Amino acid sequence: SEFETAGVARLRRGLQIRENAGLDQKMLFPDGHLLYFARSNTYESQSHRALIIESDSTVKQHPHRNQTAPLTVITTHINADFDAMASMLAAQKLYPDAVVVFPGSQEKNLRNFFIQSMVYLFNMADIKDIDFNRVAKLVLVDTRQPNRIGKFADLVKREGLTIHIYDHHPQMAQDIKGQYEVIRPTGSTVTILADIINQKKIDITAEEATIMCLGIYEDTGSFTFSSTTTQDFHAAALLLAKGANLNVVSDLIAREISPLQISLLNDMIHAASRYSVNGVQIVITSVTTDSYVPDFAFLVHKMVKMENINAIFAMARMGSKIYIVARSRISEVDVGQILTPMGGGGHNFAAAGTIKGQTLAQAEQKLTEILYQTVKSRSLAKDLMSSPPIMVDENVDCRQAARVLTRYNINALLVTRRVADTPQLSGFITRQVIEKALYHKLDQVAVKEYMTTESASVSPDADLGEIQEKIIENKQRILPVISPQGILGVVTRTDLLNVLARRSGLSQPDQNGRPNETRHARTRKILRFMQERLPARLLAMLSDIGEVADELGHGAYVVGGFVRDLFLYRRNEDVDIVIEGDGIAFAKKYARKVGARIHTYAKFGTAVIIFEDGFKIDVASARMEYYKFPASLPIVEMSSIKLDLFRRDFTINTLAIQLNPKHFGMLIDFFAAQKDLKEKVIRVLHNLSFVEDPTRAFRAIRFEQRFGFSIGKLTAGLIENAVRMDFFKRLSGRRFFSEFKQILEEENPTPALIRMHEYGLLQTIHPSMALTPELVALFDSVKKVIAWYDLLFLEESYMKWAVYFAALLRQKQKQTCSEILQRLEMPPRLATVFGKERQMAEKRLSGLERRLPTRNSTLYRHLTGVRTEHLLFMMAATRKKSVKRAISLFINQLRPVTPLITGKELKALGLEPGPLYRDILEAVRKAKLNGRLKTHADEMAFAKKYRN
């Protein structure tokens, strides 16, 4: 009776399927019975009761046991999913004498389910036991790509082999051709086979219906994927009628995530980068794990839902292999087509593959190349245009127009006329026309005389085809983008060529030797990262800023060093806000809301918001700077966020985070700053960067040493060029001094000073400036002395940088020092500190080294009045330990000594106020310094005696 409970029919079917599998095989039936079988025909249940069943002689012999009979093999793709497994089961109903063979591994979730509960439904063999020479018919399900069927790929080339194919994937160039094919664009392959089974009136069990239903639910995302068809619904209804168990389906589809998977998913989200490829936003993420993490495709599906992603390519290096999974919700991105050249494949909406012998960087590079060649353009004029447009009034003369072209480094200008205070398009004029006009001495003639008036324009929603047609047919270098609100921007011929070049796989390197990036920013949501890294108060403040900007219709961004240091895990609360609009109007409204004070600078469109606790926020209107001549101060004009970021010094300082509520926490990266942060490289944004502002050379060195980065090869060459061309001589002393001072304020400025010496930058201050080994040793000594002094925790502010600067002037002639201070346009107060006062400190140091006072009062008189900066310089400069100890004694013990008695007490003694008071108090101090007076009473007694 127990044998009947286990199910004789099931057991027989299990024997027929697994009799080739060797000794001591295990079967777990859905009803919970665990059975073992061996060739001895003795079976034990979990209760260990012996069960004797039919002998081998009564079991039907199957073709794969016959050493000569031809074989029919049913197989699918490597990394088989539920649809693949269910399709093999369904195909077995159509080919009952066939043997089912997996070509490779399956997802762990599938493998556990399959082995533990449904193995008895399959007539299955291991691929190692298959004699490929006997395979006469190959049935492929859920694939027809030769690179996805493992060892069977060699078999399909053999003459005489019959191939039957059941598949729902779109046609690809490398597809295997079969003698019989059923290809339909359904959500799953099992949908096709279930329909055929129904038409042939082949009966299926409830267990078989459950597996087939599972395949449909998985491949259609429970009927939510855009690939789902009416046939999928019909097939599921048919299987439900056959007894499919939706509880089993639900349990397997709704998988729990392990802690390891949660960690990997978190890494995937943080590593995600957003690319704009031909106007289409695509997310690429890549992660690495030491061991295999199951259900990677499931994690990608989770990330798509969590981050609302339209197209994603996720790569994970697990061990020696790279697994890539892609999902797409949009027609422009056919992920199956994109992954095929990488050895993968799939649908236009879901695909996967495995990559061997490549690094993640190589795989990502290849993927991006394929994306630019494959992704269909969705670019509209509003996506491609440069904004705001650079325009001139039609009455501007040719010379002025030429200056504008040079100022902004462009080749064509829109020409406008004013109508009711609104610029209306008149035409455009090119650099070539302007240059010819100047050649013919037509400098003073208005541009309207030579502009092109017959110009085409487009609306913001014009597609790439319309843009291309109008630029090429009208031979226009510049195409205005116009809406009812006015002129929004321009699409240049270069913009168009860049898009077309990327579509054809061509790419020219930029000035830093890197491939040109798309003109759009890479973006990714970093809100969770901000929540982890920023104090709650600061995060709430940024959120409030975004809300106020939104009320004004402005874009708001936190930019620059704040964002850079966020990714470098460095504390930085110097908040710089850029407003796309009127920054001062925003600052006033925000200050009123939070009850803060405000200082505005209308000339620059900037403001400083000061909170009650002293915390400050700098606000700037998005602006663009240009330079009238090398090393001059910049001229500021209103601009967009991209142009505002482009004016900055280095790529690593161009990151911005949007603060408007709808996009709060969106990181914006126009200039590959994340890449340079990752590679730890300092790069300028354009080749004339040091020509326009030579002080950037100092900042490059400062950032290099502060962050442990390196200066890029091209950037280093441009610094050398700036030194060689001597652009620094035009630099104002104050700007020179400001940058040099910031280097000396670094925690350890010595490495930066060494780099300045290597580039010849110290000599741009004064020819005598040179870094000798002795001077480097002095800087190291200064560093130690400053560290010692800071550990005293004295409540006294001092200028650390001044100690290093005094060391730099060590033993220089008076005239040389004067020339250096003059070159740096040192303010009078500081000129005195480093001139007369420093020279006096050096003289006193020489005096101490010649003869060290034996009495404390003498030492006090020798050092009193010397600034803290010079005392520390003297400690660092002396080579005598006795002198160092003496200065230390003065700082620690002697300098704080003051008399306890007061003038009032002296008056009470009957002394008339006057010079005598000073003499008495000084005498008291001297006696205290020498240890003669300990208490207030001692001082009073001494004063009385001194009076007499």
Side-chain angles (χ1 to χ4, degrees):
S1 61
E2 288 180 348
F3 180 79
E4 289 298 330
T5 303
V8 175
R10 293 182 183 174
L11 187 55
R12 283 179 177 172
R13 184 181 299 162
L15 272 173
Q16 291 168 3
I17 292 173
R18 298 298 298 177
E19 61 187 344
N20 73 317
L23 301 178
D24 299 321
Q25 296 296 314
K26 178 177 70 173
M27 293 188 297
L28 177 64
F29 294 136
D31 53 19
H33 281 75
L34 178 65
L35 299 177
Y36 291 86
F37 69 92
R39 293 193 186 281
S40 65
N41 297 322
T42 300
Y43 289 74
E44 289 186 348
S45 69
Q46 284 177 309
S47 60
H48 301 289
R49 294 186 177 90
L51 299 173
I52 307 298
I53 62 169
E54 299 172 275
S55 67
D56 281 341
S57 60
T58 64
V59 179
K60 177 183 176 182
Q61 290 291 325
H62 283 267
H64 69 277
R65 290 299 307 275
N66 189 324
Q67 299 300 315
T68 59
L71 280 178
T72 296
V73 172
I74 301 171
T75 193
T76 185
H77 54 81
I78 294 173
N79 296 321
D81 52 13
F82 283 130
D83 185 37
M85 182 192 72
S87 297
M88 289 195 294
L89 174 64
Q92 186 179 272
K93 306 299 290 185
L94 301 178
Y95 302 86
D97 292 330
V99 60
V100 173
V101 181
F102 278 107
S105 60
Q106 302 84 46
E107 287 283 352
K108 184 177 180 182
N109 194 55
L110 164 64
R111 185 165 60 250
N112 290 346
F113 163 74
F114 174 70
I115 291 175
Q116 293 180 3
S117 86
M118 293 298 181
V119 65
Y120 65 89
L121 295 175
F122 289 81
N123 181 16
M124 183 167 293
D126 195 294
I127 193 170
K128 295 180 293 185
D129 299 324
I130 295 296
D131 183 354
F132 277 61
N133 293 322
R134 291 171 49 216
V135 179
K137 183 183 291 183
L138 183 65
V139 181
L140 294 177
V141 296
D142 201 34
T143 188
R144 44 189 164 146
Q145 284 281 299
N147 60 354
R148 302 200 71 205
I149 59 174
K151 295 180 180 179
F152 289 109
D154 295 329
L155 187 62
V156 299
K157 303 173 185 177
R158 197 179 73 198
E159 290 185 12
L161 178 71
T162 301
I163 300 176
H164 291 190
I165 299 174
Y166 301 86
D167 193 18
H168 71 135
H169 292 96
Q171 184 176 350
M172 305 291 285
Q174 302 85 3
D175 283 347
I176 298 168
K177 304 300 179 184
Q179 285 77 18
Y180 178 73
E181 296 183 349
V182 183
I183 314 296
R184 299 177 190 170
T186 55
S188 70
T189 299
V190 76
T191 295
I192 301 168
L193 290 157
D195 181 55
I196 297 172
I197 289 172
N198 184 47
Q199 291 177 18
K200 292 181 177 292
K201 297 186 172 11
I202 299 173
D203 193 30
I204 59 175
T205 66
E207 291 90 347
E208 291 167 337
T210 299
I211 293 182
M212 292 166 67
C213 206
L214 180 61
I216 296 174
Y217 269 76
E218 184 192 49
D219 247 30
T220 62
S222 299
F223 305 104
T224 62
F225 291 168
S226 58
S227 58
T228 307
T229 65
T230 55
Q231 292 96 315
D232 297 302
F233 285 100
H234 290 152
L238 172 67
L239 296 170
L240 283 174
K242 292 291 184 180
N245 188 335
L246 288 185
N247 288 329
V248 173
V249 173
S250 177
D251 288 343
L252 286 162
I253 292 296
R255 296 170 245 188
E256 294 183 0
I257 304 182
S258 69
L260 182 60
Q261 289 172 323
I262 292 174
S263 176
L264 183 62
L265 179 59
N266 182 61
D267 291 343
M268 289 163 60
I269 292 171
H270 283 308
S273 293
R274 284 172 168 80
Y275 294 78
S276 179
V277 180
N278 296 336
V280 179
Q281 293 296 318
I282 295 175
V283 172
I284 297 178
T285 184
S286 56
V287 292
T288 299
T289 63
D290 295 332
S291 58
Y292 179 79
V293 178
D295 292 334
F296 183 53
F298 173 62
L299 298 181
V300 176
H301 181 67
K302 279 282 188 186
M303 182 173 170
V304 167
K305 285 189 173 182
M306 291 169 63
E307 299 292 310
N308 192 27
I309 296 169
N310 284 328
I312 183 172
F313 293 83
M315 290 183 285
R317 173 173 284 285
M318 301 181 189
S320 61
K321 296 180 182 178
I322 296 174
Y323 297 88
I324 181 168
V325 173
R327 295 290 184 266
S328 174
R329 295 174 172 176
I330 51 179
S331 59
E332 290 85 359
V333 183
D334 184 338
V335 293
Q337 180 187 4
I338 291 167
L339 289 194
T340 297
M342 300 185 72
H347 309 274
N348 57 346
F349 58 88
T354 304
I355 303 170
K356 298 178 182 177
Q358 291 186 27
T359 64
L360 274 174
Q362 289 173 319
E364 185 170 346
Q365 177 63 29
K366 184 176 181 181
L367 174 61
T368 53
E369 291 173 0
I370 296 171
L371 287 174
Y372 281 116
Q373 296 170 12
T374 310
V375 173
K376 299 173 184 175
S377 176
R378 192 195 244 183
S379 298
L380 303 178
K382 61 186 177 184
D383 302 316
L384 290 174
M385 71 181 184
S386 299
S387 179
I390 308 301
M391 305 180 291
V392 294
D393 187 83
E394 62 183 7
N395 293 311
V396 165
D397 63 41
C398 291
R399 178 175 293 279
Q400 288 177 284
R403 289 172 180 165
V404 174
L405 289 168
T406 302
R407 180 188 308 161
Y408 298 111
N409 192 29
I410 55 178
N411 294 310
L413 276 172
L414 291 188
V415 181
T416 61
R417 65 179 182 279
R418 286 276 170 180
V419 178
D421 291 330
T422 302
Q424 301 289 328
L425 183 66
S426 295
F428 69 91
I429 193 164
T430 65
R431 180 183 292 275
Q432 290 90 334
V433 173
I434 291 290
E435 288 177 349
K436 286 185 179 180
L438 297 181
Y439 176 77
H440 291 294
K441 311 297 183 185
L442 301 172
D443 309 36
Q444 306 301 320
V445 179
V447 292
K448 65 182 178 182
E449 303 298 335
Y450 305 111
M451 69 182 180
T452 300
T453 56
E454 297 177 354
S455 61
S457 63
V458 292
S459 70
D461 295 320
D463 61 19
L464 187 64
E466 182 181 351
I467 294 169
Q468 183 175 345
E469 178 183 351
K470 289 192 174 180
I471 286 180
I472 294 175
E473 288 193 1
N474 294 286
K475 298 180 180 179
Q476 251 175 260
R477 183 178 289 275
I478 188 171
L479 183 67
V481 181
I482 300 177
S483 75
Q485 288 73 42
I487 305 170
L488 301 182
V490 294
V491 178
T492 67
R493 194 162 64 187
T494 301
D495 293 331
L496 176 62
L497 288 173
N498 284 339
V499 172
L500 296 177
R502 286 193 288 267
R503 291 182 67 185
S504 57
L506 301 176
S507 180
Q508 296 297 323
D510 68 5
Q511 84 271 8
N512 285 316
R514 297 169 293 170
N516 270 320
E517 306 291 344
T518 168
R519 71 177 297 278
H520 301 285
R522 296 180 181 183
T523 61
R524 66 185 176 106
K525 204 68 176 283
I526 62 165
L527 179 56
R528 288 188 183 87
F529 181 60
M530 292 169 65
Q531 291 168 340
E532 292 170 4
R533 292 279 299 118
L534 298 177
R537 178 205 175 195
L538 187 54
L539 194 66
M541 185 183 298
L542 296 176
S543 179
D544 288 343
I545 288 170
E547 290 176 1
V548 172
D550 227 36
E551 292 170 7
L552 293 171
H554 297 339
Y557 307 84
V558 58
V559 302
F562 177 86
V563 186
R564 175 200 68 214
D565 288 352
L566 187 67
F567 284 94
L568 293 176
Y569 291 85
R570 297 172 65 95
R571 184 179 178 84
N572 186 343
E573 293 191 355
D574 293 332
V575 180
D576 291 320
I577 302 296
V578 170
I579 300 296
E580 280 187 317
D582 190 336
I584 293 178
F586 158 81
K588 289 178 178 178
K589 182 169 183 175
Y590 178 74
R592 284 196 300 270
K593 178 180 178 179
V594 299
R597 293 181 292 117
I598 181 175
H599 294 306
T600 62
Y601 306 90
K603 178 180 178 181
F604 299 101
T606 62
V608 178
I609 299 171
I610 307 168
F611 292 80
E612 287 184 0
D613 60 359
F615 186 82
K616 297 179 181 179
I617 293 177
D618 291 317
V619 177
S621 307
R623 65 190 193 271
M624 177 171 57
E625 298 175 352
Y626 66 90
Y627 296 76
K628 286 187 174 181
F629 50 83
S632 69
L633 284 170
I635 306 298
V636 178
E637 293 187 357
M638 297 294 290
S639 179
S640 67
I641 185 63
K642 182 181 179 183
L643 293 178
D644 183 89
L645 295 173
F646 184 69
R647 72 181 176 81
R648 296 175 185 269
D649 45 17
F650 309 109
T651 57
I652 62 170
N653 292 329
T654 61
L655 289 172
I657 300 173
Q658 191 161 3
L659 303 179
N660 298 80
K662 187 177 179 181
H663 302 289
F664 186 78
M666 184 65 74
L667 179 70
I668 300 171
D669 182 5
F670 283 103
F671 307 106
Q674 296 172 86
K675 180 174 181 288
D676 288 346
L677 281 174
K678 186 177 180 180
E679 295 178 356
K680 298 186 175 182
V681 178
I682 307 293
R683 290 190 175 102
V684 290
L685 275 75
H686 58 88
N687 291 14
L688 296 178
S689 184
F690 296 121
V691 176
E692 294 180 344
D693 185 359
T695 62
R696 289 171 176 165
F698 296 93
R699 293 200 290 280
I701 290 172
R702 177 156 51 92
F703 292 143
E704 177 192 47
Q705 298 306 314
R706 179 192 295 177
F707 304 133
F709 283 18
S710 61
I711 295 175
K713 184 177 180 181
L714 174 67
T715 303
L718 293 173
I719 294 176
E720 293 168 358
N721 173 266
V723 173
R724 196 163 52 246
M725 300 294 290
D726 200 12
F727 292 129
F728 297 90
K729 69 180 179 183
R730 304 177 185 178
L731 199 61
S732 74
R734 290 187 180 183
R735 294 186 68 205
F736 215 142
F737 171 61
S738 175
E739 291 296 336
F740 189 51
K741 176 184 170 186
Q742 289 184 67
I743 286 179
L744 296 179
E745 284 175 339
E746 290 292 303
E747 185 176 347
N748 180 17
T750 306
L753 292 169
I754 293 172
R755 289 290 274 158
M756 288 182 66
H757 174 73
E758 291 171 353
Y759 280 111
L761 287 169
L762 286 175
Q763 285 77 15
T764 63
I765 299 175
H766 192 274
S768 70
M769 286 279 201
L771 210 60
T772 62
E774 293 77 17
L775 193 53
V776 171
L778 178 56
F779 288 151
D780 289 339
S781 182
V782 168
K783 183 175 182 293
K784 292 175 183 176
V785 167
I786 286 176
W788 165 81
Y789 185 77
D790 287 344
L791 287 174
L792 297 177
F793 298 105
L794 301 178
E795 294 183 1
E796 178 191 11
S797 62
Y798 72 105
M799 301 180 292
K800 293 183 183 180
W801 67 270
V803 186
Y804 285 101
F805 192 73
L808 196 62
L809 299 178
R810 170 81 162 147
Q811 294 181 341
K812 282 197 169 23
Q813 295 295 324
K814 184 177 179 180
Q815 180 60 32
T816 302
C817 289
S818 178
E819 290 172 0
I820 292 172
L821 297 177
Q822 240 179 346
R823 171 68 183 96
L824 296 177
E825 296 180 21
M826 198 76 74
R829 180 181 64 84
L830 290 178
T832 301
V833 169
F834 296 111
K836 183 178 179 181
E837 291 183 11
R838 184 194 58 79
Q839 291 162 10
M840 182 62 67
E842 291 215 36
K843 286 181 180 178
R844 295 192 181 188
L845 176 61
S846 297
L848 291 176
E849 289 178 333
R850 285 194 305 270
R851 184 177 178 181
L852 193 64
T854 57
R855 297 168 65 90
N856 287 346
S857 58
T858 308
L859 179 63
Y860 181 90
R861 187 179 70 253
H862 200 84
L863 294 178
T864 190
V866 178
R867 300 177 62 91
T868 298
E869 293 84 357
H870 291 145
L871 288 171
L872 298 178
F873 158 68
M874 292 164 66
M875 281 187 72
T878 185
R879 295 182 180 180
K880 292 189 174 183
K881 291 183 179 180
S882 57
V883 173
K884 196 183 294 283
R885 284 195 295 268
I887 299 173
S888 172
L889 174 68
F890 172 77
I891 293 173
N892 272 316
Q893 299 178 30
L894 305 186
R895 188 167 59 169
V897 170
T898 56
L900 297 175
I901 61 174
T902 65
K904 288 184 179 180
E905 291 174 310
L906 293 179
K907 188 174 182 180
L909 293 176
L911 296 176
E912 289 295 325
L916 181 62
Y917 279 27
R918 183 190 61 203
D919 295 341
I920 293 174
L921 292 176
E922 282 301 318
V924 168
R925 187 199 305 268
K926 181 177 179 182
K928 285 188 71 173
L929 288 169
N930 293 328
R932 292 168 52 197
L933 305 178
K934 303 293 184 183
T935 66
H936 181 270
D938 291 343
E939 292 185 21
M940 287 297 292
F942 180 87
K944 290 177 183 177
K945 184 177 179 182
Y946 190 90
R947 178 191 62 177
N948 298 325

